[in-house]
Amino acid sequence: MNTPMNPSLIPRRKFLQRAACAAVGNLGIASTIWNLRAINAAVAQQPTGGIQPGDFKALVCVFLYGGNDSANLLIPRDTASYAAYSNLRGILAIPQANILPINDLVNDGRDYALHPSVPQLRNIYNQGKLALVANVGSLAAPLTRSTYLNGTVELPPQLFSHEDQQQQWQTSWPGNPNRTGWGGRMADLLRTLNNANAISMSVSLSGSNVFEVGNIVSQYGVSTNGTIGLSGFNGPTDPSYVAYNNIVNLPSTNLFERAFGAVTRRAIDNNQLVTNALAAAPTITTAFPPNSYLADQLKMVARMISVRSALGMRRQIYFVSTGGFDTHDHELTDQPQLFSDVSTALSAFYDSTVELGVQNSVTTFTASDFGRTFTTNGAGSDHGWGGHHIVMGGDVKGGNVYGRFPVLSVDGPDDTGYGRWIPSTSVDEYGATLAKWFGVNPSLTPGGELLTVFPNLGRFATPDLGFMN
Protein backbone atom coordinates (compact mmCIF):
# COMPACT_ATOMS: atom_id res chain seq x y z
CA MET A 1 0.00 0.00 0.00
CA ASN A 2 1.27 3.46 -0.87
CA THR A 3 1.59 5.76 2.13
CA PRO A 4 1.04 9.48 1.44
CA MET A 5 4.25 11.46 1.71
CA ASN A 6 4.56 13.50 4.90
CA PRO A 7 6.71 16.54 4.03
CA SER A 8 7.40 17.19 7.72
CA LEU A 9 9.46 13.99 7.85
CA ILE A 10 11.65 14.84 4.84
CA PRO A 11 14.16 17.72 4.61
CA ARG A 12 12.75 20.42 2.36
CA ARG A 13 15.70 20.48 -0.04
CA LYS A 14 15.63 16.69 -0.46
CA PHE A 15 11.86 16.76 -1.07
CA LEU A 16 12.34 19.35 -3.80
CA GLN A 17 15.10 17.28 -5.37
CA ARG A 18 12.91 14.17 -5.41
CA ALA A 19 9.98 16.06 -6.84
CA ALA A 20 12.20 17.66 -9.45
CA CYS A 21 13.48 14.27 -10.56
CA ALA A 22 9.93 12.98 -10.79
CA ALA A 23 8.54 15.95 -12.63
CA VAL A 24 11.17 17.70 -14.71
CA GLY A 25 11.51 14.76 -17.07
CA ASN A 26 7.88 15.27 -18.00
CA LEU A 27 7.35 17.67 -20.92
CA GLY A 28 4.44 19.36 -19.17
CA ILE A 29 6.73 20.93 -16.58
CA ALA A 30 9.84 20.91 -18.74
CA SER A 31 8.05 23.10 -21.22
CA THR A 32 7.73 25.80 -18.60
CA ILE A 33 11.50 25.89 -18.03
CA TRP A 34 11.48 28.53 -20.75
CA ASN A 35 10.69 31.00 -17.97
CA LEU A 36 14.10 30.28 -16.42
CA ARG A 37 15.73 30.99 -19.75
CA ALA A 38 13.95 34.32 -19.89
CA ILE A 39 15.73 35.44 -16.71
CA ASN A 40 19.02 35.78 -18.58
CA ALA A 41 17.73 36.24 -22.14
CA ALA A 42 17.90 39.51 -23.98
CA VAL A 43 14.64 41.33 -24.47
CA ALA A 44 13.19 40.18 -27.78
CA GLN A 45 12.47 42.67 -30.53
CA GLN A 46 8.90 43.92 -30.54
CA PRO A 47 6.73 43.20 -33.58
CA THR A 48 6.70 46.11 -36.02
CA GLY A 49 4.75 44.59 -38.88
CA GLY A 50 1.20 45.51 -39.81
CA ILE A 51 -0.37 43.37 -37.09
CA GLN A 52 -3.78 44.06 -35.64
CA PRO A 53 -3.67 43.30 -31.91
CA GLY A 54 -7.05 41.53 -31.91
CA ASP A 55 -6.50 39.11 -34.78
CA PHE A 56 -5.61 35.41 -34.53
CA LYS A 57 -3.30 33.25 -36.59
CA ALA A 58 -1.90 29.77 -36.11
CA LEU A 59 0.82 27.89 -37.95
CA VAL A 60 0.78 24.09 -37.79
CA CYS A 61 3.98 22.27 -38.76
CA VAL A 62 3.40 18.63 -39.78
CA PHE A 63 6.80 16.93 -39.74
CA LEU A 64 7.07 13.70 -41.74
CA TYR A 65 9.94 11.89 -40.05
CA GLY A 66 12.14 9.60 -42.10
CA GLY A 67 12.35 11.54 -45.36
CA ASN A 68 9.19 11.61 -47.45
CA ASP A 69 9.48 10.26 -50.99
CA SER A 70 7.41 13.10 -52.39
CA ALA A 71 8.37 12.21 -55.95
CA ASN A 72 5.29 9.99 -55.77
CA LEU A 73 3.17 12.70 -54.17
CA LEU A 74 3.43 15.23 -57.00
CA ILE A 75 3.70 13.41 -60.33
CA PRO A 76 4.08 14.93 -63.83
CA ARG A 77 1.36 13.54 -66.09
CA ASP A 78 1.89 15.02 -69.55
CA THR A 79 3.16 12.42 -72.00
CA ALA A 80 6.84 13.38 -72.14
CA SER A 81 7.25 14.12 -68.42
CA TYR A 82 5.40 11.00 -67.29
CA ALA A 83 7.61 8.88 -69.55
CA ALA A 84 10.72 10.38 -67.90
CA TYR A 85 9.18 9.86 -64.47
CA SER A 86 8.26 6.24 -65.18
CA ASN A 87 11.65 5.43 -66.68
CA LEU A 88 13.61 6.79 -63.70
CA ARG A 89 11.30 5.59 -60.94
CA GLY A 90 11.23 2.04 -62.25
CA ILE A 91 9.19 -0.22 -59.98
CA LEU A 92 8.24 2.79 -57.80
CA ALA A 93 6.35 4.53 -60.61
CA ILE A 94 2.61 4.86 -60.02
CA PRO A 95 0.67 3.63 -63.07
CA GLN A 96 -0.56 6.54 -65.14
CA ALA A 97 -4.11 5.19 -65.06
CA ASN A 98 -4.18 5.50 -61.24
CA ILE A 99 -2.85 9.01 -60.64
CA LEU A 100 -5.18 11.88 -59.72
CA PRO A 101 -4.92 14.75 -62.25
CA ILE A 102 -4.79 18.33 -60.95
CA ASN A 103 -4.63 21.68 -62.69
CA ASP A 104 -1.91 24.23 -62.09
CA LEU A 105 -0.93 27.72 -63.18
CA VAL A 106 2.81 27.13 -63.46
CA ASN A 107 2.90 27.06 -67.26
CA ASP A 108 6.16 25.13 -67.24
CA GLY A 109 5.06 22.78 -69.99
CA ARG A 110 3.99 20.06 -67.57
CA ASP A 111 0.68 18.82 -66.28
CA TYR A 112 0.58 17.35 -62.79
CA ALA A 113 -1.19 14.71 -60.73
CA LEU A 114 -1.25 13.45 -57.15
CA HIS A 115 -0.77 10.00 -55.66
CA PRO A 116 -3.98 7.92 -55.77
CA SER A 117 -4.02 7.64 -51.96
CA VAL A 118 -4.63 11.39 -51.39
CA PRO A 119 -8.08 12.14 -52.89
CA GLN A 120 -8.98 14.27 -49.86
CA LEU A 121 -5.98 16.53 -50.46
CA ARG A 122 -6.89 16.80 -54.13
CA ASN A 123 -10.36 17.97 -53.14
CA ILE A 124 -8.91 20.74 -50.95
CA TYR A 125 -6.46 21.61 -53.74
CA ASN A 126 -9.35 21.91 -56.19
CA GLN A 127 -11.15 24.19 -53.70
CA GLY A 128 -8.16 26.53 -53.93
CA LYS A 129 -7.19 25.98 -50.28
CA LEU A 130 -4.11 23.80 -50.76
CA ALA A 131 -0.89 24.52 -52.64
CA LEU A 132 2.13 22.40 -53.49
CA VAL A 133 5.67 23.76 -53.35
CA ALA A 134 8.13 21.89 -55.54
CA ASN A 135 11.69 20.84 -54.74
CA VAL A 136 12.24 22.50 -51.36
CA GLY A 137 15.27 21.70 -49.22
CA SER A 138 17.93 22.95 -46.85
CA LEU A 139 20.49 25.25 -48.46
CA ALA A 140 23.22 27.53 -47.17
CA ALA A 141 23.19 29.47 -50.45
CA PRO A 142 21.79 29.02 -53.98
CA LEU A 143 23.36 26.03 -55.67
CA THR A 144 23.69 24.47 -59.11
CA ARG A 145 24.99 21.08 -60.15
CA SER A 146 28.22 22.72 -61.28
CA THR A 147 28.86 24.58 -58.03
CA TYR A 148 27.90 21.45 -56.08
CA LEU A 149 30.41 19.30 -57.92
CA ASN A 150 33.27 21.80 -57.85
CA GLY A 151 32.68 22.78 -54.23
CA THR A 152 32.62 26.54 -54.79
CA VAL A 153 29.43 27.14 -52.76
CA GLU A 154 28.90 26.31 -49.10
CA LEU A 155 26.78 23.21 -48.49
CA PRO A 156 24.62 22.40 -45.47
CA PRO A 157 26.67 20.11 -43.22
CA GLN A 158 26.05 16.38 -43.15
CA LEU A 159 23.80 16.18 -46.19
CA PHE A 160 21.60 13.08 -46.42
CA SER A 161 21.83 12.45 -42.64
CA HIS A 162 18.47 12.09 -40.91
CA GLU A 163 19.29 13.92 -37.69
CA ASP A 164 21.27 16.73 -39.30
CA GLN A 165 18.73 17.39 -42.02
CA GLN A 166 15.84 17.30 -39.54
CA GLN A 167 17.60 19.99 -37.52
CA GLN A 168 18.41 22.07 -40.59
CA TRP A 169 14.79 21.95 -41.75
CA GLN A 170 13.66 22.98 -38.27
CA THR A 171 16.30 25.68 -37.76
CA SER A 172 16.64 26.93 -41.37
CA TRP A 173 20.15 27.89 -40.34
CA PRO A 174 22.95 25.47 -41.28
CA GLY A 175 25.63 25.74 -38.62
CA ASN A 176 23.20 27.48 -36.24
CA PRO A 177 25.35 28.37 -33.22
CA ASN A 178 22.56 28.28 -30.63
CA ARG A 179 20.28 25.63 -32.12
CA THR A 180 17.14 27.74 -32.11
CA GLY A 181 14.33 26.89 -34.54
CA TRP A 182 12.67 29.27 -36.95
CA GLY A 183 9.36 28.69 -35.22
CA GLY A 184 10.96 29.59 -31.89
CA ARG A 185 12.55 32.73 -33.30
CA MET A 186 9.17 33.84 -34.63
CA ALA A 187 7.64 33.26 -31.21
CA ASP A 188 10.41 35.31 -29.58
CA LEU A 189 9.55 38.24 -31.85
CA LEU A 190 5.77 38.05 -31.61
CA ARG A 191 5.20 36.72 -28.10
CA THR A 192 3.87 40.05 -26.78
CA LEU A 193 0.83 39.69 -29.03
CA ASN A 194 -0.53 37.09 -26.62
CA ASN A 195 -2.25 38.50 -23.57
CA ALA A 196 -0.53 37.06 -20.53
CA ASN A 197 1.82 34.50 -22.09
CA ALA A 198 0.71 32.08 -19.39
CA ILE A 199 0.91 29.36 -22.03
CA SER A 200 3.78 29.41 -24.50
CA MET A 201 2.95 30.49 -28.05
CA SER A 202 4.67 27.28 -29.17
CA VAL A 203 2.72 24.10 -28.44
CA SER A 204 4.02 20.63 -29.24
CA LEU A 205 1.83 17.54 -29.61
CA SER A 206 4.90 15.47 -30.48
CA GLY A 207 7.45 15.88 -27.72
CA SER A 208 10.53 18.04 -27.82
CA ASN A 209 11.56 19.50 -31.15
CA VAL A 210 14.12 22.01 -32.41
CA PHE A 211 11.63 23.94 -34.55
CA GLU A 212 9.94 25.60 -31.57
CA VAL A 213 13.06 26.36 -29.51
CA GLY A 214 13.66 30.09 -29.13
CA ASN A 215 16.02 32.20 -27.07
CA ILE A 216 13.07 33.12 -24.84
CA VAL A 217 10.15 30.93 -25.87
CA SER A 218 10.15 27.15 -25.94
CA GLN A 219 7.42 24.60 -26.47
CA TYR A 220 4.60 23.73 -24.11
CA GLY A 221 3.82 20.02 -24.26
CA VAL A 222 0.30 18.71 -24.68
CA SER A 223 -0.74 15.11 -25.31
CA THR A 224 -3.52 13.91 -27.58
CA ASN A 225 -5.65 13.51 -24.43
CA GLY A 226 -4.96 16.92 -22.92
CA THR A 227 -2.41 18.39 -20.55
CA ILE A 228 0.49 16.30 -19.40
CA GLY A 229 0.70 17.85 -15.93
CA LEU A 230 3.13 16.74 -13.25
CA SER A 231 4.23 13.13 -13.18
CA GLY A 232 4.06 11.25 -9.89
CA PHE A 233 0.92 13.03 -8.65
CA ASN A 234 -2.74 12.08 -8.92
CA GLY A 235 -4.33 15.49 -9.17
CA PRO A 236 -4.79 18.54 -6.97
CA THR A 237 -6.38 16.59 -4.08
CA ASP A 238 -3.51 14.09 -3.85
CA PRO A 239 -1.74 14.67 -0.47
CA SER A 240 1.64 14.55 -2.21
CA TYR A 241 0.47 17.16 -4.69
CA VAL A 242 -0.84 19.40 -1.91
CA ALA A 243 2.37 19.01 0.09
CA TYR A 244 4.52 19.72 -2.95
CA ASN A 245 2.49 22.80 -3.85
CA ASN A 246 2.77 24.08 -0.28
CA ILE A 247 6.53 23.58 -0.20
CA VAL A 248 7.29 25.37 -3.47
CA ASN A 249 5.25 28.33 -2.21
CA LEU A 250 7.40 28.71 0.91
CA PRO A 251 9.72 31.75 0.93
CA SER A 252 13.41 31.09 0.29
CA THR A 253 16.62 33.08 0.19
CA ASN A 254 18.19 30.63 -2.28
CA LEU A 255 18.05 31.88 -5.89
CA PHE A 256 17.69 28.42 -7.43
CA GLU A 257 14.94 27.39 -5.00
CA ARG A 258 13.01 30.62 -5.70
CA ALA A 259 13.36 30.15 -9.46
CA PHE A 260 12.44 26.46 -9.27
CA GLY A 261 9.43 27.28 -7.10
CA ALA A 262 8.25 29.95 -9.52
CA VAL A 263 8.57 27.62 -12.51
CA THR A 264 6.79 24.79 -10.69
CA ARG A 265 3.95 27.06 -9.55
CA ARG A 266 3.57 28.21 -13.12
CA ALA A 267 3.46 24.59 -14.31
CA ILE A 268 0.71 23.83 -11.80
CA ASP A 269 -1.25 26.95 -12.73
CA ASN A 270 -0.83 26.36 -16.48
CA ASN A 271 -1.91 22.76 -16.17
CA GLN A 272 -5.09 23.87 -14.42
CA LEU A 273 -5.67 26.73 -16.89
CA VAL A 274 -5.46 24.46 -19.94
CA THR A 275 -7.41 21.65 -18.27
CA ASN A 276 -10.27 24.01 -17.37
CA ALA A 277 -10.27 25.60 -20.83
CA LEU A 278 -10.42 22.23 -22.61
CA ALA A 279 -13.19 21.05 -20.28
CA ALA A 280 -15.28 23.98 -21.46
CA ALA A 281 -14.28 23.66 -25.12
CA PRO A 282 -17.01 23.36 -27.75
CA THR A 283 -17.57 19.86 -29.08
CA ILE A 284 -15.93 19.38 -32.48
CA THR A 285 -18.27 17.33 -34.62
CA THR A 286 -15.89 16.85 -37.56
CA ALA A 287 -15.06 13.15 -37.85
CA PHE A 288 -11.33 12.43 -37.60
CA PRO A 289 -10.04 9.10 -38.89
CA PRO A 290 -9.65 6.42 -36.20
CA ASN A 291 -6.41 4.68 -35.28
CA SER A 292 -4.27 7.57 -36.51
CA TYR A 293 -1.73 9.21 -34.23
CA LEU A 294 -1.44 12.13 -36.66
CA ALA A 295 -5.20 12.63 -36.69
CA ASP A 296 -5.33 12.46 -32.88
CA GLN A 297 -2.66 15.17 -32.65
CA LEU A 298 -4.45 17.40 -35.13
CA LYS A 299 -7.77 16.96 -33.34
CA MET A 300 -6.14 18.22 -30.14
CA VAL A 301 -4.70 21.15 -32.09
CA ALA A 302 -8.25 21.98 -33.19
CA ARG A 303 -9.44 21.75 -29.57
CA MET A 304 -6.62 24.03 -28.40
CA ILE A 305 -7.48 26.53 -31.13
CA SER A 306 -11.12 26.44 -30.04
CA VAL A 307 -10.11 27.71 -26.57
CA ARG A 308 -7.64 30.35 -27.78
CA SER A 309 -9.62 33.19 -26.20
CA ALA A 310 -9.67 31.50 -22.80
CA LEU A 311 -5.90 31.08 -23.05
CA GLY A 312 -5.35 34.66 -24.22
CA MET A 313 -3.77 33.56 -27.52
CA ARG A 314 -3.58 35.68 -30.66
CA ARG A 315 -0.70 33.70 -32.17
CA GLN A 316 -0.03 29.99 -31.87
CA ILE A 317 2.61 27.72 -33.39
CA TYR A 318 1.92 23.99 -33.29
CA PHE A 319 4.20 21.05 -33.99
CA VAL A 320 2.82 17.61 -34.85
CA SER A 321 4.53 14.69 -36.51
CA THR A 322 4.24 11.22 -37.89
CA GLY A 323 6.92 8.71 -38.88
CA GLY A 324 7.59 5.75 -41.11
CA PHE A 325 8.76 7.69 -44.18
CA ASP A 326 12.23 6.11 -44.31
CA THR A 327 11.15 3.89 -47.19
CA HIS A 328 14.33 2.09 -48.19
CA ASP A 329 12.25 -1.08 -48.47
CA HIS A 330 8.64 -2.07 -49.13
CA GLU A 331 7.79 1.38 -50.44
CA LEU A 332 5.01 0.23 -52.74
CA THR A 333 3.31 -1.39 -49.74
CA ASP A 334 4.02 1.25 -47.11
CA GLN A 335 3.71 4.50 -49.00
CA PRO A 336 -0.01 4.26 -49.89
CA GLN A 337 -0.82 3.79 -46.19
CA LEU A 338 1.44 6.70 -45.17
CA PHE A 339 -0.05 9.03 -47.77
CA SER A 340 -3.60 7.97 -46.94
CA ASP A 341 -3.00 8.75 -43.27
CA VAL A 342 -1.64 12.21 -44.09
CA SER A 343 -4.47 12.91 -46.52
CA THR A 344 -7.35 11.88 -44.26
CA ALA A 345 -5.84 13.52 -41.15
CA LEU A 346 -5.10 16.84 -42.88
CA SER A 347 -8.50 16.87 -44.55
CA ALA A 348 -10.30 16.31 -41.23
CA PHE A 349 -8.22 19.04 -39.62
CA TYR A 350 -9.07 21.51 -42.39
CA ASP A 351 -12.76 20.64 -42.02
CA SER A 352 -12.50 21.23 -38.27
CA THR A 353 -11.07 24.72 -38.85
CA VAL A 354 -14.03 25.41 -41.14
CA GLU A 355 -16.37 24.17 -38.39
CA LEU A 356 -14.67 26.54 -35.92
CA GLY A 357 -14.77 29.42 -38.40
CA VAL A 358 -10.98 29.88 -38.34
CA GLN A 359 -9.96 28.31 -41.66
CA ASN A 360 -8.56 31.65 -42.90
CA SER A 361 -6.52 32.02 -39.71
CA VAL A 362 -4.86 28.59 -39.64
CA THR A 363 -2.16 27.49 -42.07
CA THR A 364 -0.80 23.95 -42.07
CA PHE A 365 2.43 23.01 -43.81
CA THR A 366 4.57 19.91 -44.17
CA ALA A 367 8.27 19.44 -43.55
CA SER A 368 10.52 16.38 -43.64
CA ASP A 369 14.15 15.32 -43.26
CA PHE A 370 14.67 15.42 -47.01
CA GLY A 371 13.23 14.05 -50.24
CA ARG A 372 14.42 10.70 -51.50
CA THR A 373 16.27 9.52 -54.56
CA PHE A 374 14.22 9.63 -57.73
CA THR A 375 15.83 6.37 -58.77
CA THR A 376 14.99 3.13 -56.97
CA ASN A 377 17.26 0.80 -55.04
CA GLY A 378 15.08 -2.11 -56.13
CA ALA A 379 12.66 -2.07 -53.20
CA GLY A 380 12.37 1.57 -52.25
CA SER A 381 14.36 4.80 -52.44
CA ASP A 382 17.36 6.14 -50.56
CA HIS A 383 18.19 9.40 -48.80
CA GLY A 384 17.82 12.38 -51.10
CA TRP A 385 17.63 16.16 -50.78
CA GLY A 386 14.95 18.34 -52.39
CA GLY A 387 11.30 17.36 -52.02
CA HIS A 388 7.76 18.63 -52.57
CA HIS A 389 5.60 20.02 -49.77
CA ILE A 390 2.00 20.84 -48.89
CA VAL A 391 0.61 24.15 -47.61
CA MET A 392 -3.06 24.15 -46.61
CA GLY A 393 -5.50 26.73 -45.25
CA GLY A 394 -8.16 29.25 -46.10
CA ASP A 395 -5.61 32.00 -46.69
CA VAL A 396 -3.48 29.86 -49.03
CA LYS A 397 -3.49 30.75 -52.72
CA GLY A 398 -4.19 27.15 -53.55
CA GLY A 399 -4.90 25.17 -56.68
CA ASN A 400 -1.36 25.78 -57.87
CA VAL A 401 2.17 24.39 -57.83
CA TYR A 402 4.83 26.85 -56.69
CA GLY A 403 8.58 26.75 -57.14
CA ARG A 404 10.40 24.92 -59.92
CA PHE A 405 9.94 21.23 -60.59
CA PRO A 406 13.29 19.45 -61.21
CA VAL A 407 14.46 18.29 -64.59
CA LEU A 408 13.87 14.54 -64.61
CA SER A 409 17.28 13.39 -65.71
CA VAL A 410 19.95 11.57 -63.72
CA ASP A 411 23.15 13.63 -63.90
CA GLY A 412 21.00 16.40 -65.35
CA PRO A 413 21.11 20.05 -64.25
CA ASP A 414 19.24 19.44 -60.98
CA ASP A 415 20.91 16.20 -59.92
CA THR A 416 23.83 15.70 -57.53
CA GLY A 417 24.07 12.15 -58.80
CA TYR A 418 21.90 9.07 -58.07
CA GLY A 419 18.69 11.05 -58.54
CA ARG A 420 19.18 13.36 -55.52
CA TRP A 421 17.62 16.64 -56.60
CA ILE A 422 19.37 19.88 -55.64
CA PRO A 423 16.66 22.06 -54.05
CA SER A 424 15.53 24.93 -56.24
CA THR A 425 13.65 26.52 -53.32
CA SER A 426 15.29 26.93 -49.93
CA VAL A 427 13.67 26.23 -46.59
CA ASP A 428 14.39 29.93 -45.91
CA GLU A 429 12.13 31.05 -48.78
CA TYR A 430 9.44 28.51 -47.89
CA GLY A 431 9.47 29.49 -44.22
CA ALA A 432 9.76 33.24 -44.85
CA THR A 433 6.57 33.16 -46.93
CA LEU A 434 4.76 31.60 -43.96
CA ALA A 435 6.43 33.95 -41.47
CA LYS A 436 5.32 37.04 -43.39
CA TRP A 437 1.72 35.80 -43.30
CA PHE A 438 2.08 35.04 -39.59
CA GLY A 439 2.98 38.66 -38.85
CA VAL A 440 6.77 38.91 -39.03
CA ASN A 441 7.77 42.24 -40.58
CA PRO A 442 8.85 41.42 -44.17
CA SER A 443 11.54 44.10 -44.40
CA LEU A 444 14.93 42.72 -45.42
CA THR A 445 16.90 45.55 -43.85
CA PRO A 446 19.85 44.36 -41.71
CA GLY A 447 18.66 43.53 -38.21
CA GLY A 448 15.05 43.35 -39.36
CA GLU A 449 12.58 40.77 -38.14
CA LEU A 450 12.57 38.52 -41.20
CA LEU A 451 16.37 38.30 -41.22
CA THR A 452 16.32 37.64 -37.47
CA VAL A 453 14.18 34.58 -38.15
CA PHE A 454 16.01 33.57 -41.37
CA PRO A 455 19.58 34.90 -41.21
CA ASN A 456 20.51 33.46 -44.63
CA LEU A 457 17.38 34.66 -46.44
CA GLY A 458 19.17 37.57 -48.11
CA ARG A 459 21.20 35.08 -50.16
CA PHE A 460 18.10 33.86 -51.98
CA ALA A 461 16.07 35.48 -54.74
CA THR A 462 12.50 34.89 -53.60
CA PRO A 463 11.73 35.79 -49.97
CA ASP A 464 8.01 35.51 -50.77
CA LEU A 465 6.99 32.56 -52.94
CA GLY A 466 3.48 33.96 -53.33
CA PHE A 467 1.41 31.08 -52.00
CA MET A 468 -0.15 33.08 -49.12
CA ASN A 469 -2.68 35.92 -49.28
Side-chain angles (χ1 to χ4, degrees):
M1 183 176 75
N2 293 327
T3 303
M5 185 182 299
N6 184 346
S8 66
L9 301 179
I10 301 174
R12 178 168 173 264
R13 184 182 299 273
K14 183 172 290 187
F15 184 80
L16 281 173
Q17 289 172 343
R18 289 184 183 177
C21 291
V24 169
N26 180 285
L27 186 59
I29 185 170
S31 62
T32 64
I33 296 296
W34 66 279
N35 291 284
L36 286 177
R37 304 169 101 191
I39 295 173
N40 294 316
V43 176
Q45 300 178 51
Q46 300 303 307
T48 57
I51 301 169
Q52 300 300 317
D55 70 352
F56 170 76
K57 288 184 177 179
L59 278 174
V60 182
C61 175
V62 178
F63 205 93
L64 309 177
Y65 279 110
N68 176 30
D69 190 348
S70 55
N72 274 359
L73 174 66
L74 178 62
I75 303 168
R77 65 181 174 91
D78 59 277
T79 302
S81 297
Y82 182 83
Y85 158 86
S86 180
N87 179 59
L88 290 178
R89 292 253 79 185
I91 65 166
L92 300 181
I94 306 301
Q96 193 167 17
N98 296 345
I99 60 179
L100 304 177
I102 59 173
N103 296 319
D104 69 88
L105 306 175
V106 177
N107 296 320
D108 64 355
R110 292 187 179 94
D111 296 318
Y112 292 99
L114 297 178
H115 191 281
S117 295
V118 298
Q120 299 85 0
L121 294 184
R122 182 175 71 160
N123 290 341
I124 303 173
Y125 178 95
N126 288 340
Q127 295 170 31
K129 305 304 180 184
L130 184 147
L132 293 145
V133 187
N135 199 19
V136 186
S138 61
L139 289 169
L143 196 66
T144 65
R145 174 176 166 83
S146 175
T147 55
Y148 173 83
L149 293 176
N150 62 33
T152 56
V153 171
E154 179 186 359
L155 298 178
Q158 304 299 323
L159 278 174
F160 321 128
S161 155
H162 283 293
E163 181 178 0
D164 293 280
Q165 294 305 297
Q166 288 165 11
Q167 291 185 358
Q168 288 173 42
W169 253 95
Q170 293 182 36
T171 65
S172 192
W173 190 353
N176 181 349
N178 59 3
R179 302 291 279 270
T180 57
W182 60 271
R185 297 194 293 273
M186 283 196 299
D188 282 350
L189 285 171
L190 302 179
R191 76 191 193 285
T192 56
L193 288 175
N194 290 342
N195 285 346
N197 278 307
I199 305 300
S200 172
M201 182 182 293
S202 301
V203 178
S204 175
L205 277 293
S206 186
S208 298
N209 61 83
V210 178
F211 172 68
E212 293 182 316
V213 174
N215 285 312
I216 297 174
V217 178
S218 190
Q219 60 260 44
Y220 180 81
V222 178
S223 77
T224 56
N225 295 316
T227 62
I228 298 172
L230 300 176
S231 63
F233 299 106
N234 296 318
T237 60
D238 185 326
S240 297
Y241 186 101
V242 173
Y244 183 55
N245 194 31
N246 289 339
I247 285 180
V248 298
N249 279 297
L250 290 174
S252 175
T253 58
N254 181 279
L255 178 62
F256 174 79
E257 288 186 1
R258 289 204 308 271
F260 179 82
V263 168
T264 305
R265 286 193 300 274
R266 184 138 187 165
I268 293 170
D269 293 343
N270 288 353
N271 179 66
Q272 199 60 50
L273 173 65
V274 176
T275 298
N276 291 344
L278 290 174
T283 300
I284 295 175
T285 61
T286 298
F288 281 75
N291 305 316
S292 166
Y293 178 53
L294 178 59
D296 290 344
Q297 292 173 78
L298 289 170
K299 185 172 184 178
M300 179 52 69
V301 171
R303 293 185 64 201
M304 290 287 289
I305 289 173
S306 76
V307 297
R308 63 194 180 280
S309 296
L311 299 178
M313 309 301 285
R314 296 190 180 109
R315 289 292 186 276
Q316 292 180 307
I317 300 171
Y318 290 96
F319 184 88
V320 304
S321 73
T322 186
F325 288 85
D326 195 14
T327 50
H328 290 283
D329 302 299
H330 312 296
E331 183 167 325
L332 287 175
T333 301
D334 295 344
Q335 191 176 59
Q337 299 173 20
L338 293 166
F339 280 173
S340 177
D341 183 44
V342 170
S343 182
T344 54
L346 290 186
S347 176
F349 179 64
Y350 178 74
D351 288 345
S352 73
T353 65
V354 173
E355 178 185 344
L356 294 170
V358 295
Q359 68 271 24
N360 294 343
S361 301
V362 179
T363 299
T364 305
F365 65 96
T366 61
S368 190
D369 315 19
F370 36 61
R372 304 191 74 83
T373 54
F374 207 81
T375 52
T376 180
N377 60 22
S381 53
D382 296 322
H383 298 182
W385 194 354
H388 313 313
H389 287 278
I390 297 164
V391 185
M392 179 185 75
D395 228 16
V396 174
K397 295 179 183 177
N400 201 3
V401 177
Y402 293 82
R404 185 175 65 80
F405 197 86
V407 175
L408 302 183
S409 173
V410 171
D411 295 330
D414 294 318
D415 185 23
T416 69
Y418 310 104
R420 290 176 169 140
W421 306 134
I422 298 169
S424 50
T425 295
S426 68
V427 175
D428 307 70
E429 294 166 302
Y430 180 67
T433 307
L434 294 163
K436 178 183 175 183
W437 171 83
F438 195 59
V440 174
N441 190 305
S443 171
L444 292 175
T445 56
E449 290 183 5
L450 204 54
L451 289 180
T452 297
V453 179
F454 300 98
N456 292 329
L457 181 62
R459 299 178 177 181
F460 299 98
T462 316
D464 187 341
L465 296 171
F467 57 73
M468 298 300 303
N469 286 315

